[in-house]
Amino acid sequence: MKHLGKISVVLVLVLLVAACADKNSPNYQYFPNMYEPVGYEAYQGVDNGLFPDGTEAMLPVEGTISRGYMPYEFENTPEGKELARLNTSPLDSLEAEENLVKGAELYAIYCAICHGPKGDGQGNLVKREKILGVPSYDDVARNITVGTTYHTIYYGLNSMGSYASQFANEKEMWQVSEYVMKLKEDLTK
């Protein structure tokens, strides 16, 4: 009987605590400063004494670029694409085979779904009629060069958006551009 009394007292206490709980307010917090951070807006006026005008961060100096990044020299215009037509690949010609192998891997990941594994414009999405109008690389009207291919990857063209953010660096984009030119050469044989 003693155990039944103890169990009933514990049960009543649990029910009492559960009945007093408010589901609309949070429970007790062990470290409240971890749950409720102090949010600072980076360029808003908060007087912390570190930077002028009470900002939390400073804007970069005008004309600077991020470390390891080189801006693309041609603009996203038809004139810029025509200027890019004369641009050649900066990749080492002694490593052409390695670049083509890497370019084929990246092409299979990012491009073949639309352009097809052979570059004939018959990718999986085109065959399923999810997208239309993907031309073949051997189309006579498509006078593409390695420079215009890079420009298209960098900025996109028509319904194809930019793929520059998908690649780790410029070297990968040039590798895919060189592989596209190899596909074009294979199709025109």
Side-chain angles (χ1 to χ4, degrees):
M1 277 320 242
K2 284 185 170 183
H3 295 298
L4 184 59
K6 290 180 183 177
I7 291 173
S8 61
V9 169
V10 169
L11 184 61
V12 168
L13 286 175
V14 168
L15 289 174
L16 183 66
V17 169
C20 295
D22 185 9
K23 294 181 181 179
N24 294 328
S25 65
N27 292 330
Y28 293 107
Q29 296 173 349
Y30 186 61
F31 286 113
N33 58 349
M34 293 178 70
Y35 293 103
E36 299 168 7
V38 178
Y40 292 113
E41 292 294 327
Y43 301 108
Q44 301 299 318
V46 176
D47 190 20
N48 60 4
L50 294 177
F51 296 114
D53 301 326
T55 59
E56 281 297 314
M58 295 182 69
L59 294 171
V61 177
E62 192 163 329
T64 59
I65 58 174
S66 300
R67 182 177 293 179
Y69 171 76
M70 284 301 293
Y72 188 49
E73 59 189 297
F74 302 111
E75 294 179 3
N76 188 14
T77 60
E79 296 81 21
K81 187 170 182 179
E82 287 304 314
L83 289 172
R85 181 175 303 285
L86 305 174
N87 201 9
T88 59
S89 175
L91 300 179
D92 189 4
S93 61
L94 297 175
E95 298 174 355
E97 289 301 318
E98 294 88 12
N99 289 333
L100 287 176
V101 168
K102 183 67 175 173
E105 291 174 11
L106 294 168
Y107 181 88
I109 294 169
Y110 299 114
C111 311
I113 189 84
C114 297
H115 293 278
K118 298 177 186 175
D120 57 358
Q122 293 301 310
N124 197 11
L125 291 179
V126 174
K127 288 179 183 176
R128 293 182 179 183
E129 296 181 356
K130 300 294 182 187
I131 57 172
L132 302 172
V134 178
S136 175
Y137 293 140
D138 67 344
D139 187 7
V140 178
R142 292 182 55 86
N143 184 18
I144 60 174
T145 64
V146 71
T148 58
T149 305
Y150 183 88
H151 189 274
T152 302
I153 292 171
Y154 194 85
Y155 288 119
L157 181 67
N158 297 332
S159 62
M160 177 185 147
S162 171
Y163 273 75
S165 64
Q166 304 295 323
F167 296 100
N169 51 33
E170 286 112 18
K171 181 179 180 181
E172 288 185 351
M173 289 192 287
W174 281 111
Q175 288 169 336
V176 171
S177 300
E178 286 186 357
Y179 183 71
V180 166
M181 297 313 297
K182 181 187 177 302
L183 289 177
K184 179 181 178 180
E185 181 181 309
D186 292 345
L187 285 172
T188 55
K189 285 183 181 178

